[in-house]
Structure formats: C-alpha cells, structure tokens
C-alpha cells in the first residue's frame, strides 16, 4: 500500500505549507491595520476642524448681529433720554424711564451673550490651531507609514505567492475534494489535519475508535476521517514508512 503512504506524506507536506500560507495571509490582513486607524483618526480630526471653522463663521455672524442690535437699542435709549427733557407730566416721565430701563436690560443681556460668544470664539480658535498642527503631523506620519506598509505588503505577498506555488505543486497529485476538506480541517483544527491512530486512539482528539474502524484505516484502501474530530487518520506502527512529524505552528 505504498500509494497511500505517499498520499499521507504529501498531506503532511501540504499541511506545513498551508500553515505558512495561512500565517502569511493573516499578516497581510494585519499589516495595514495601524495605517487604517491613523487614516480614520485623520478623517475625524479633519471633520472636527471643518466643524470648528463653520462655528467660527456662525458665531462671528451672530456677534455682528448682536452689535448692530445693541447699537440700535442705544440709539433708542438716547432718543428717550432726550424726550425726558421735554416731558410735562409725572405719568409721561414714568413711562419713559420704564422704557429706558427695559432697553438697558436688553442691552445688558445682549452684551453678556456677546461676551459668551467671544469666549467661545477664543476657545475654538485655540482648538483649530491645535488641530491644524496635529493634522500636519499626522499627514506626515501617514505618508511614512503608507510607504512602509506598501513595502511590507509587497514582500509578504511575494512570500505568499511562493507558498501557493509550492502548495499547488504538492496538491497536483492529490484528490481535489480531499484537499478541499483537508485545508478546512487544518484551518479549523489548530493546524493539525492528519494524525495517527495509536492503541486504537485518535491522536488528534483522543477518542477511542472501534477495532473494525481501526482495521479499515490500517488497510489503507481509502482516506478515512476521524468520526469525532474530522482529521485524516493513518495507522501508526513501528515499521510505518511514514515519518512521524511534530507539527510546528
Ligand atoms: Zn479524532
């Protein structure tokens, strides 16, 4: 049954290559991670800067309006104050002073609002300045990182390409369906897709297998999967020509 021994040996080779392939694929996935985070931070900062600029514009406009209103109110106040000089009755006097008091109250409120907005403007201006510096520095960092990521990716992809070619070479002589299943097992079962049976026990999951089942595996007529862990099984004995390998992950 040399043919099956050959298949087992090839599957073990395939497993080693698959592990390298998966690791490379994972790294390729990981490499741009920090760059993506930086870019999203950059976008967030840019949006905040735009928002702040818009606020500056709005607040400046509101302050302008407030000043105009205060000016108009002051003119009214002046007008009433002039009228006071010409009034004849106590009643008229009271009406005018009450009017003036109301205007003064409005002016005070508007001035307070103006002051609040001015304080806000100072605060936002400082933020804008800070964000501008941060954006500039982030832009430079991203440019450097982008170059680094590009180079790393190229290198890793080249490495992966080599593994894929090697994988295809090994897989060439094997059944497609078996390879498909085997790859899934290697991926999902901690990198171990083919294991031996020793003393009627699956070395992958430690399940005790029925003697008849073990005999089937031993006969090496076909590829048999462990009913419990789905790994491909081969029978181990001292004279086995399949070298035992410790799997390195
Ligand atoms: Zn098993």
């Amino acid at each position: 049954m040399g043919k099956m021994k050959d298949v087992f040996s090839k599957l073990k080779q395939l497993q080693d290559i698959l592990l390298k392939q998966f690791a490379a694929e994972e790294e390729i996935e990981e490499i741009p991670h920090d760059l993506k985070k930086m870019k999203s931070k950059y976008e967030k900062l840019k949006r905040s800067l735009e928002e702040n600029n818009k606020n500056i514009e709005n607040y400046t406009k509101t302050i302008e309006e407030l000043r105009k209103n205060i000016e108009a109110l002051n003119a009214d106040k002046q007008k009433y104050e002039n009228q006071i000089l010409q009034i004849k009755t106590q009643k008229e006097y009271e009406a005018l002073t009450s009017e003036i008091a109301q205007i003064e109250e409005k002016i005070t409120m508007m001035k307070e609002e103006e002051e609040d907005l001015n304080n806000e403007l100072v605060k936002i201006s400082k933020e804008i300045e800070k964000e501008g510096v941060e954006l500039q520095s982030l832009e430079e960092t991203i440019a450097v990182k982008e170059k680094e990521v590009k180079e790393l990716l190229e290198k890793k992809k080249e490495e992966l390409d080599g593994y894929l070619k090697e994988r295809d070479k090994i897989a060439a002589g094997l059944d497609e369906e078996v390879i498909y299943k085997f790859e899934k097992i290697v991926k999902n079962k901690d990198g171990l897709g083919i294991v031996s049976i020793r003393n009627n026990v699956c070395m992958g999951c430690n399940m005790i297998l029925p003697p008849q089942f073990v005999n089937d595996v031993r006969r090496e007529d076909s590829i048999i999967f462990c009913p419990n862990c789905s790994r491909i099984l081969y029978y181990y004995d001292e004279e086995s020509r399949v070298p035992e390998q410790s799997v390195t992950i």
Side-chain angles (χ1 to χ4, degrees):
M1 287 297 158
K3 192 179 168 294
M4 201 51 89
K5 294 269 192 296
D6 187 43
V7 169
F8 292 150
S9 159
K10 275 188 171 171
L11 284 174
K12 283 179 181 177
Q13 285 175 49
L14 185 60
Q15 180 171 281
D16 287 346
I17 282 297
L18 283 174
L19 290 177
K20 286 179 186 164
Q21 178 199 326
F22 296 158
E25 282 169 348
E26 215 169 286
E27 269 184 79
I28 286 169
E29 192 92 359
E30 279 295 309
I31 286 167
H33 189 71
D34 286 350
L35 180 62
K36 273 184 201 156
K37 260 166 76 179
M38 280 178 193
K39 280 184 173 172
S40 106
K41 191 180 164 194
Y42 180 85
E43 287 306 318
K44 211 172 136 195
L45 206 55
K46 218 171 111 186
R47 276 199 300 277
S48 164
L49 184 66
E50 280 165 7
E51 182 83 9
N52 275 332
N53 276 323
K54 215 171 19 183
N55 281 340
I56 288 259
E57 209 176 290
N58 290 337
Y59 290 168
T60 306
K61 221 186 274 170
T62 310
I63 287 172
E64 245 168 67
E65 278 162 20
L66 277 171
R67 280 182 189 158
K68 266 186 209 154
N69 288 339
I70 291 169
E71 219 173 284
L73 286 170
N74 271 323
D76 285 349
K77 191 183 149 198
Q78 189 64 51
K79 199 178 74 192
Y80 291 133
E81 276 169 353
N82 289 339
Q83 281 174 19
I84 284 187
L85 303 172
Q86 288 145 35
I87 52 159
K88 295 179 179 76
T89 66
Q90 177 71 15
K91 205 177 154 198
E92 274 177 323
Y93 176 80
E94 273 167 16
L96 273 176
T97 47
S98 151
E99 196 70 43
I100 288 169
Q102 276 177 38
I103 289 174
E104 277 172 345
E105 202 180 319
K106 271 191 203 164
I107 289 174
T108 305
M109 270 168 62
M110 283 182 177
K111 279 190 173 163
E112 272 169 16
E113 201 184 332
E114 189 194 340
E115 203 189 320
D116 284 350
L117 285 174
N118 270 324
N119 288 338
E120 198 62 27
L121 273 186
V122 171
K123 207 180 106 197
I124 295 173
S125 297
K126 275 184 192 156
E127 254 174 55
I128 286 176
E129 200 182 323
K130 212 179 109 200
E131 283 169 342
V133 171
E134 222 174 310
L135 271 178
Q136 175 76 31
S137 128
L138 201 52
E139 211 169 303
E140 284 160 19
T141 315
I142 285 173
V144 172
K145 189 79 185 171
E146 220 153 33
K147 195 163 164 268
E148 190 188 301
V149 164
K150 191 170 168 266
E151 283 168 5
L152 263 173
L153 275 180
E154 270 169 22
K155 215 176 114 198
K156 263 297 152 197
K157 278 178 182 167
E158 207 176 302
E159 196 184 308
L160 175 64
D161 218 40
Y163 296 146
L164 291 174
K165 276 183 188 140
E166 219 173 315
R167 174 200 166 280
D168 287 348
K169 222 159 64 186
I170 297 166
L174 297 167
D175 183 78
E176 249 175 71
E177 209 175 305
V178 170
I179 289 172
Y180 177 75
K181 263 175 118 174
F182 183 67
E183 285 188 0
K184 276 213 317 211
I185 300 164
V186 172
K187 199 166 218 166
N188 297 326
K189 299 277 178 183
D190 301 326
L192 202 53
I194 175 164
V195 293
S196 60
I197 294 177
R198 292 191 198 196
N199 303 321
N200 293 356
V201 172
C202 166
M203 288 292 111
C205 66
N206 293 323
M207 187 180 170
I208 298 167
L209 301 162
Q212 184 53 47
F213 183 87
V214 175
N215 279 337
D216 289 345
V217 173
R218 192 174 190 175
R219 244 193 344 263
E220 298 187 352
D221 284 337
S222 61
I223 288 183
I224 296 176
F225 298 88
C226 171
N228 186 45
C229 69
S230 306
R231 293 183 174 99
I232 291 176
L233 294 168
Y234 65 90
Y235 187 82
Y236 177 82
D237 60 60
E238 294 306 318
E239 280 94 58
S240 173
R241 279 188 284 136
V242 180
E244 278 293 287
Q245 294 176 340
S246 64
V247 176
T248 49
I249 297 170

